[in-house]
């Protein structure tokens, strides 16, 4: 199925504003729909297009990029090979999986200057970085990131164009939905948490209505990610760090404890592996902000962080990787709102995913309690209007917010708004906004 994606509008803006003066590079994790989106855009917005999939391109096609001295010959050969007529300024050439052919990416500089056609590149940022050591990186690129389907795109895929505008209106006016409607909205949202936003998983759910088959599709995607990690790190350390994300979040510790996953590993090597994992866009890193203010990036602690998966649907499957689907009680519990408190880390991953997809960098803050050996922890910090907004995430309807209160006492002059993310209806509690988790995208 072809799903409606918000990035399509940004692609239209690129086409209109740049008019071929840059190529468009769509980057994202494997299986988020980059190739499908690029081809759908080409079909709708151009008279004709050529799609070169470098993962299967012939030697003849690859060899064309070894010599760019005669672009007329290049374009003639491409049209003959792909049986497509190109029209100046009305056609586009797609370089799919461009990381497989670095010379094609290097050619962008000359192709854009020629200005006959538009160019769209797709690829995994991780693989792109690993294959650019010997080429000149083109500056004539506009880069866009594609994430898994967000909640609104998921509702669109189900044929629902009403829910999100309704929720946005309630959020903007702080208007309670009522208990019955809130329960229904949570039920729908929990389905999104289970299926996730990977297009193949969503398609499997829509066509089969079978969670077992959805889970198997997600396992296939996770195995693909594992294969990628083994390529960049044959020792298996990247895979170990990836697989341990649910367990590390479940500890409710103030950081990802690398030593409990890989004993005795040097910190510099771990950072290098994490950088590669982050570039793959399969994981998101939330750093501890040592000095929480609007300039948190300047005060992040590179040695203190939490890891989240790019897609909570994948997270659900990874958390129970060693069990067969029939033993995976999390599906039934989450759908029936019987999730135990020790599975609340699912909501934390979900909030991280939604914040990141909306364009936020992820930061958190932890500080000791005066009366015990435990810590207060603000799960997420957002920079807004030269101030910060602390978020505390709860997987239940409890309205307690000790960490938010302690943070308020410590940094009151820096705070713009405080948010408690939970599962009850929207409400204002003194100066704290209590938001149902499905309204997080509006922040």
């Amino acid at each position: 199925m072809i799903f409606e994606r918000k990035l399509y509008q940004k692609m239209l803006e690129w086409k209109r504003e740049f008019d071929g003066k840059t190529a468009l590079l769509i980057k994202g994790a494997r299986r988020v729909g980059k190739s499908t989106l690029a081809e759908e855009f080409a079909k709708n917005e151009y008279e004709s297009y050529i799609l070169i999939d470098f993962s299967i391109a012939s030697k003849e096609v690859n060899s064309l990029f070894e010599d760019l001295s005669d672009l007329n010959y290049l374009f003639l050969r491409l049209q003959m090979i792909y049986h497509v007529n190109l029209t100046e300024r009305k056609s586009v050439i797609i370089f799919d999986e461009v990381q497989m052919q670095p010379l094609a990416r290097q050619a962008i500089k000359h192709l854009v200057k020629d200005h006959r056609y538009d160019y769209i590149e797709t690829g995994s940022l991780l693989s792109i970085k690993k294959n650019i050591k010997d080429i000149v990186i083109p500056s004539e690129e506009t880069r866009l990131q594609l994430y898994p389907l967000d909640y609104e795109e998921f509702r669109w895929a189900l044929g629902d164009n009403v829910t999100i505008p309704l929720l946005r209106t309630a959020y903007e006016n702080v208007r309670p939905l009522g208990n019955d409607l809130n329960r229904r909205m949570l039920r729908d949202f929990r389905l999104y948490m289970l299926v996730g936003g990977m297009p193949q998983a969503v398609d499997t759910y829509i066509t089969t209505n079978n969670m077992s088959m959805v889970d198997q599709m997600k396992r296939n995607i996770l195995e693909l990610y594992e294969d990628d990690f083994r390529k960049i790190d044959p020792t298996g350390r990247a895979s170990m760090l990836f697989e341990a994300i649910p367990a590390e979040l479940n500890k409710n510790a103030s950081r990802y404890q690398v030593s409990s996953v890989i004993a005795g590993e040097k910190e510099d090597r771990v950072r290098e592996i994490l950088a590669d994992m982050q570039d793959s866009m399969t994981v998101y890193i939330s750093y501890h902000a040592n000095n929480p203010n609007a300039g948190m990036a300047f005060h992040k602690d590179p040695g203190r962080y939490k890891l989240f998966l790019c897609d909570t649907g994948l997270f659900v499957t990874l958390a129970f990787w060693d069990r067969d689907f029939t033993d995976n009680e999390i599906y039934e519990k989450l759908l029936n709102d019987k999730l135990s408190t020790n599975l609340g880390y699912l909501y934390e991953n979900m909030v991280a995913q939604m914040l990141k997809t909306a364009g936020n960098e992820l930061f958190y803050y932890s500080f000791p309690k005066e009366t015990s050996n435990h810590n207060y922890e603000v799960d997420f910090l957002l920079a807004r209007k030269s101030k910060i907004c602390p978020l505390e995430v709860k997987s239940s309807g409890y309205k307690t917010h000790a960490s938010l209160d302690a943070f308020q006492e410590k940094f009151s002059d820096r705070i713009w708004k405080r948010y408690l993310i939970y599962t009850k209806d929207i409400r204002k509690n003194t100066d704290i906004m209590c938001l149902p988790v499905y309204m997080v995208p509006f922040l």
Side-chain angles (χ1 to χ4, degrees):
M1 296 180 67
I2 305 298
F3 299 120
E4 183 178 355
R5 305 303 300 271
K6 295 177 181 178
L7 198 72
Y8 195 102
Q9 293 302 314
K10 293 184 178 180
M11 296 170 70
L12 284 174
E13 293 173 9
W14 161 78
K15 183 176 185 292
R16 181 177 62 252
E17 293 176 7
F18 289 97
D19 189 32
K21 296 181 178 65
T22 69
L24 179 64
L25 173 62
I26 304 175
K27 56 186 181 179
R30 301 278 296 274
R31 294 292 187 265
V32 294
K34 301 183 297 293
S35 304
T36 301
L37 179 61
E39 186 168 14
E40 186 69 9
F41 186 78
K43 287 179 181 178
N44 295 339
E45 308 302 333
Y46 293 90
E47 286 188 1
S48 63
Y49 70 95
I50 289 176
L51 188 152
I52 306 174
D53 183 349
F54 284 110
S55 67
I56 58 173
S58 65
K59 291 183 179 179
E60 180 183 9
V61 170
N62 279 285
S63 66
L64 291 174
F65 295 93
E66 296 175 0
D67 182 2
L68 299 178
S69 59
D70 188 351
L71 290 182
N72 289 328
Y73 177 76
L74 169 68
F75 295 137
L76 178 63
R77 293 296 300 134
L78 288 176
Q79 290 177 90
M80 294 180 65
I81 293 170
Y82 289 94
H83 307 291
V84 172
N85 291 322
L86 298 175
T87 305
E88 286 193 26
R89 302 305 318 133
K90 295 182 180 180
S91 297
V92 62
I93 300 176
I94 301 172
F95 291 168
D96 195 22
E97 304 291 354
V98 70
Q99 73 274 6
M100 305 292 292
Q101 178 46 279
L103 291 177
R105 188 168 182 222
Q106 181 174 254
I108 286 295
K109 178 180 181 66
H110 306 285
L111 297 174
V112 167
K113 183 178 179 181
D114 175 76
H115 204 244
R116 260 178 270 190
Y117 313 114
D118 283 358
Y119 300 91
I120 299 176
E121 307 164 84
T122 75
S124 161
L125 182 60
L126 171 62
S127 299
I128 287 174
K129 286 185 65 177
K130 293 296 180 182
N131 288 281
I132 60 175
K133 295 178 181 178
D134 301 318
I135 70 169
V136 177
I137 303 301
S139 59
E140 298 79 6
E141 284 180 339
T142 296
R143 303 181 185 186
L144 296 177
Q145 295 185 356
L146 184 64
Y147 296 97
L149 274 73
D150 68 15
Y151 186 45
E152 185 169 20
E153 291 170 328
F154 180 77
R155 298 310 309 174
W156 291 344
L158 300 182
D160 175 10
N161 296 303
V162 176
T163 293
I164 301 303
L166 168 69
L167 297 180
R168 186 182 297 276
T169 298
Y171 167 78
E172 291 174 349
N173 295 281
V174 195
R175 182 184 302 161
L177 301 172
N179 290 333
D180 290 343
L181 184 54
N182 175 64
R183 279 194 292 269
R184 197 179 99 194
M185 293 296 100
L186 279 170
R187 181 196 63 198
D188 292 345
F189 185 75
R190 291 194 298 269
L191 175 65
Y192 172 60
M193 292 176 66
L194 290 175
V195 174
M198 304 304 288
Q200 288 176 311
V202 176
D203 180 61
T204 301
Y205 170 73
I206 293 173
T207 55
T208 69
N209 196 36
N210 185 316
M211 278 297 183
S212 176
M213 296 185 69
V214 172
D215 189 71
Q216 184 56 56
M217 178 57 68
K218 291 188 292 177
R219 287 174 185 262
N220 294 343
I221 296 172
L222 286 169
E223 287 175 352
L224 181 66
Y225 289 172
E226 294 274 10
D227 289 343
D228 285 345
F229 289 141
R230 281 189 283 269
K231 290 176 184 176
I232 65 171
D233 180 39
T235 66
R237 287 170 294 187
S239 295
M240 293 170 65
L241 292 172
F242 180 75
E243 292 169 358
I245 291 176
E248 287 297 308
L249 283 178
N250 188 38
K251 290 179 180 178
N252 201 27
S254 62
R255 69 176 74 189
Y256 187 105
Q257 297 172 333
V258 174
S259 60
S260 66
V261 181
I262 309 174
E265 187 57 75
K266 294 181 179 179
E267 186 175 335
D268 289 347
R269 178 54 185 151
V270 171
R271 290 183 186 180
E272 182 180 337
I273 296 173
L274 286 176
D276 284 339
M277 294 174 68
Q278 191 172 25
D279 286 340
S280 73
M281 294 181 66
T282 57
V283 302
Y284 303 140
I285 302 180
S286 178
Y287 286 101
H288 189 273
N290 291 338
N291 183 18
N293 57 41
M296 287 179 288
F298 295 104
H299 302 284
K300 72 178 184 182
D301 187 341
R304 196 173 181 186
Y305 49 83
K306 293 187 177 184
L307 295 183
F308 300 96
L309 258 67
C310 68
D311 180 73
T312 304
L314 294 180
F315 186 99
V316 170
T317 297
L318 184 62
F320 290 83
W321 185 259
D322 58 342
R323 305 187 194 181
D324 186 81
F325 174 78
T326 55
D327 299 323
N328 192 341
E329 73 272 16
I330 197 171
Y331 281 90
E332 181 179 355
K333 286 184 176 180
L334 193 55
L335 277 177
N336 294 320
D337 196 20
K338 298 181 184 292
L339 193 68
S340 58
T341 55
N342 66 337
L343 293 177
Y345 56 87
L346 282 176
Y347 282 93
E348 191 175 352
N349 196 96
M350 188 73 256
V351 172
Q353 177 187 341
M354 291 188 290
L355 293 177
K356 185 67 176 178
T357 302
N360 300 284
E361 293 302 319
L362 302 180
F363 297 96
Y364 72 101
Y365 185 68
S366 175
F367 56 107
K369 295 181 178 180
E370 296 180 359
T371 57
S372 72
N373 294 325
H374 299 287
N375 290 333
Y376 291 114
E377 183 168 294
V378 174
D379 297 306
F380 298 99
L381 295 170
L382 301 180
R384 296 288 187 271
K385 297 186 176 183
S386 75
K387 291 184 177 291
I388 53 176
C389 297
L391 277 67
E392 187 172 344
V393 181
K394 293 192 175 291
S395 60
S396 64
Y398 295 128
K399 302 180 182 65
T400 57
H401 37 74
S403 293
L404 283 181
D405 292 340
F407 190 83
Q408 168 77 13
E409 292 182 15
K410 192 175 180 67
F411 300 108
S412 60
D413 60 328
R414 305 182 186 183
I415 296 174
W416 183 49
K417 291 182 179 180
R418 295 190 290 165
Y419 294 96
L420 177 68
I421 309 302
Y422 70 154
T423 58
K424 294 297 184 181
D425 203 353
I426 183 173
R427 64 189 291 268
K428 190 80 175 288
N429 183 7
T430 61
D431 66 329
I432 295 178
M433 181 65 72
C434 301
L435 282 184
V437 63
Y438 50 76
M439 289 188 180
V440 168
F442 307 140
L443 293 177

